Amino acid sequence: MSEELLVNVTPRETRVAVVENGMLQELHIERGSQRGVVGNVYKGKVQRVMPGMQAAFVDIGLERAAFLHANDIFRSAPLDAVAGDDAPAAPPPQMQIPIADLLRDGAEVVVQVVKDPIGSKGARLTTQISIPSRYLVLLPRSKVVGISARIEDEAERARLKTLMAELTAGGAGHGYIVRTNAEGQPAEALAEDIAYLGRVWELIERNAAEAKVGSRVYEDLSLPLRAVRDLIRRDVDKVKVDSRETCERLREFAARYMPALADKVEHYTGARPVFDMYGVEDEIQHALEKEVPLKSGGYLVIDQTEAMTTVDVNTGSFLGQRNLEETVYRTNLEAAQAVARQLRLRNLGGIIIIDFIDMHDAEHRRQVLRTLEKSLAKDHAKTTVYDFSPLGLVEMTRKRTVESLERQLCEPCHECGGRGMLKTAETVTYEIFREIVRAVRQFDAARLLVIASPSVVARITDEESNAVAELEEFIGKSIRFQADAQYLQEQFDVVLL
């Protein structure tokens, strides 16, 4: 399997694409005006403690107050193992300490952003700060030494745990998570990361002591550097960067922190834009559409709502070779792989419901579920998949830290107000007729002028001419219609003359 990272840099926007076997799998976007704040550390001030919610709102200098839950302040005893790649597993259920015993209004607190502001919600915070490096995640003042669950070889897990015990003996007493990238790395590489993270934490402590409330005391790396730190692995063939300046910066970063992989970074000098060369631009456009075609002839329909994302699987034009059950099974197998890719590509998070085509064979259902879980294994976001429900639905969750691709690139339709549907020209016509009657009853006028979209005016003058004549007779006034291309289909004005 070949894997490449493509870095496209323009003055106000940077994009990083993860391409596997010629297919776009992930897309990360950072804009100068909308740079994410996940990973940043701030010195905040508690605005209001909410005992009923076991949470507090904290001013960290952003547009909206951020949210800090009691569970993100207090942590139980350290864990031996860690699920996921970048952060500790959630603590087990325990007796919660009341939020009022942990924080008070006006208190100053050093916090880290774990989730960007999404929609109308403010950022999500934690006081359990974690600082990532190439191979490790630092957990200040913690005793945790965890190994990423994605390192499955028991011998390697034991080797890494022994190394970390030796390297941290007599140290500052911090905890660490060993990331997936550390698999097979020598003690020297881990020691370099420990030293680097120690310097970063000293800087954070010094800045926090001197900083004013609402100011940032630590900022995570820019997108290109984060991509090299988090995404480049031994199985990545190349990192192609279309900006010479950014390429040099990435080479220097890689040479310092991952010298074995520094040669993989190269400057792209092709005549065509790098995203065009690899078909990434087309894939981005397809990722904004609701329907996803499958090679077999079936298709997915993906609907993203405020509460959850639903994925509907359909056979479409796929007729199969043997029988209906086999056709459905093959379609669902292909759909399971496609769903996993679309979740990564579109960065869909939260609750996800997948409506596979009904299967009667229990073994077929098990294989489809196994295919979905296997296809999700490469996803950097934490996912949890549950068994088929009695209604034949698969429920799953995917950790969400930033807005989805659609919500990063798009906004609600100005014409339909985000409903996804438009009132028909016929519906708007009858609304206009009712508004005319309402206006005549309220105000005195000799005649009326109706300004509307060309499609509505065309329908009124062509198909509703008799109705207009009856209406003029009923109200005793003449009505003139004027088409204006600036009006959307649902917009109109009734003007009294």
Side-chain angles (χ1 to χ4, degrees):
M1 183 191 74
S2 65
E3 182 174 334
E4 293 179 289
L5 299 184
L6 311 178
V7 182
N8 167 235
V9 181
T10 54
R12 301 296 294 166
E13 181 184 61
T14 300
R15 301 182 297 175
V16 175
V18 180
V19 178
E20 296 176 6
N21 296 326
M23 292 187 67
L24 177 64
Q25 300 293 333
E26 292 181 34
L27 181 69
H28 304 270
I29 300 174
E30 185 173 87
R31 291 173 173 170
S33 59
Q34 301 173 339
R35 184 170 178 182
V37 293
V38 170
N40 291 355
V41 178
Y42 294 84
K43 187 173 185 177
K45 183 176 182 179
V46 178
Q47 284 187 334
R48 188 180 179 189
V49 175
M50 309 284 288
M53 297 174 61
Q54 273 292 85
F57 289 102
V58 182
D59 177 16
I60 59 173
L62 301 182
E63 184 178 342
R64 291 190 296 272
F67 183 83
L68 176 62
H69 194 273
N71 285 348
D72 295 317
I73 302 172
F74 174 76
R75 183 174 290 276
S76 65
L79 309 172
D80 288 333
V82 175
D85 191 33
D86 299 329
Q94 55 187 303
M95 289 184 61
Q96 285 190 345
I97 297 178
I99 186 74
D101 293 346
L102 298 171
L103 292 175
R104 69 180 189 280
D105 290 356
E108 295 182 4
V109 58
V110 177
V111 292
Q112 184 174 39
V113 179
V114 294
K115 184 182 290 188
D116 272 330
I118 296 177
S120 60
K121 299 176 183 177
R124 181 75 181 257
L125 305 176
T126 181
T127 61
Q128 303 160 35
I129 294 172
S130 60
I131 308 298
S133 66
R134 172 62 182 162
Y135 303 117
L136 305 172
V137 177
L138 172 69
L139 306 175
R141 294 189 292 268
S142 169
K143 300 298 181 184
V144 171
V145 176
I147 311 294
S148 169
R150 295 185 180 180
I151 300 178
E152 299 178 354
D153 184 85
E154 289 300 327
E156 178 62 10
R157 293 179 67 86
R159 182 188 77 88
L160 290 169
K161 196 141 196 174
T162 302
L163 275 180
M164 290 302 297
E166 294 172 354
L167 293 170
T168 57
H174 298 316
Y176 296 89
I177 295 170
V178 181
R179 305 181 68 179
T180 307
N181 289 336
E183 188 169 8
Q185 294 300 320
E188 293 78 11
L190 300 183
E192 288 176 2
D193 267 24
I194 290 173
Y196 163 74
L197 289 171
R199 293 193 297 271
V200 171
W201 179 241
E202 288 176 6
L203 177 64
I204 291 174
E205 286 191 307
R206 186 164 61 250
N207 289 346
E210 301 170 354
K212 296 179 180 179
V213 169
S215 60
R216 184 177 61 227
V217 298
Y218 168 79
E219 184 176 21
D220 201 6
L221 299 173
S222 63
L223 176 58
L225 296 178
R226 289 202 311 273
V228 169
R229 180 190 70 193
D230 298 338
L231 301 177
I232 187 173
R233 298 179 295 274
R234 292 184 182 277
D235 54 356
V236 171
D237 298 324
K238 290 289 182 184
V239 179
K240 297 186 177 180
V241 190
D242 64 3
S243 162
R244 185 178 298 279
E245 181 183 347
T246 302
C247 182
E248 290 303 319
R249 195 159 67 246
L250 293 185
R251 281 175 177 164
E252 292 172 6
F253 180 84
R256 181 175 181 183
Y257 295 109
M258 53 199 79
L261 303 177
D263 291 342
K264 294 178 181 286
V265 180
E266 65 178 41
H267 182 216
Y268 175 80
T269 57
R272 295 180 63 193
V274 64
F275 272 28
D276 287 354
M277 187 70 180
Y278 285 78
V280 172
E281 297 290 8
D282 290 339
E283 287 291 337
I284 294 173
Q285 296 305 314
H286 294 323
L288 299 176
E289 297 171 0
K290 286 179 61 172
E291 284 197 12
V292 179
L294 303 176
K295 290 182 179 178
S296 64
Y299 61 94
L300 311 178
V301 178
I302 301 175
D303 275 305
Q304 184 182 354
T305 69
E306 193 69 24
M308 67 183 70
T309 297
T310 61
V311 182
D312 186 32
V313 182
N314 298 280
T315 55
S317 60
F318 182 45
L319 303 177
Q321 298 289 329
R322 300 169 62 185
N323 54 52
L324 178 61
E325 179 70 18
E326 188 69 17
T327 300
V328 167
Y329 174 54
R330 296 296 175 192
T331 303
N332 283 339
L333 281 178
E334 184 184 1
Q337 299 176 57
V339 167
R341 174 175 176 256
Q342 290 298 321
L343 295 183
R344 285 178 67 189
L345 176 56
R346 298 172 186 239
N347 196 23
L348 297 170
I351 299 171
I352 298 159
I353 307 294
I354 308 170
D355 184 9
F356 287 107
I357 308 168
D358 289 341
M359 293 175 289
H360 302 294
D361 191 315
E363 177 61 19
H364 284 175
R365 290 197 296 271
R366 192 181 72 82
Q367 289 296 337
V368 167
L369 207 61
R370 187 163 175 255
T371 300
L372 176 63
E373 292 171 337
K374 185 178 178 182
S375 301
L376 288 168
K378 294 202 68 175
D379 197 337
H380 297 286
K382 178 177 172 56
T383 58
T384 304
V385 181
Y386 298 92
D387 204 348
F388 279 88
S389 75
L391 293 177
L393 306 174
V394 172
E395 301 171 7
M396 65 169 288
T397 61
R398 184 174 185 270
K399 186 176 180 182
R400 173 169 56 190
T401 56
V402 297
E403 290 276 24
S404 67
L405 180 65
E406 178 184 69
R407 291 182 179 172
Q408 287 184 69
L409 300 181
C410 305
E411 63 182 4
C413 169
H414 298 296
E415 188 148 348
C416 70
R419 298 194 313 270
M421 300 288 286
L422 279 178
K423 293 178 182 177
T424 64
E426 182 180 23
T427 299
V428 177
T429 296
Y430 299 144
E431 286 185 356
I432 290 173
F433 289 170
R434 287 193 294 272
E435 182 61 27
I436 289 173
V437 174
R438 188 180 299 116
V440 167
R441 285 176 176 172
Q442 284 186 285
F443 306 103
D444 188 27
R447 58 188 185 279
L448 295 94
L449 170 65
V450 175
I451 307 172
S453 69
S455 59
V456 172
V457 172
R459 188 186 189 285
I460 291 175
T461 53
D462 291 344
E463 300 179 36
E464 301 289 347
S465 56
N466 291 337
V468 172
E470 292 174 5
L471 183 59
E472 287 179 327
E473 183 178 350
F474 175 72
I475 64 176
K477 304 178 189 302
S478 66
I479 307 169
R480 185 163 64 88
F481 295 90
Q482 178 179 317
D484 190 327
Q486 299 299 316
Y487 278 60
L488 305 179
Q489 183 158 301
E490 294 187 1
Q491 292 179 321
F492 62 86
D493 282 311
V494 176
V495 182
L496 304 173
L497 301 175

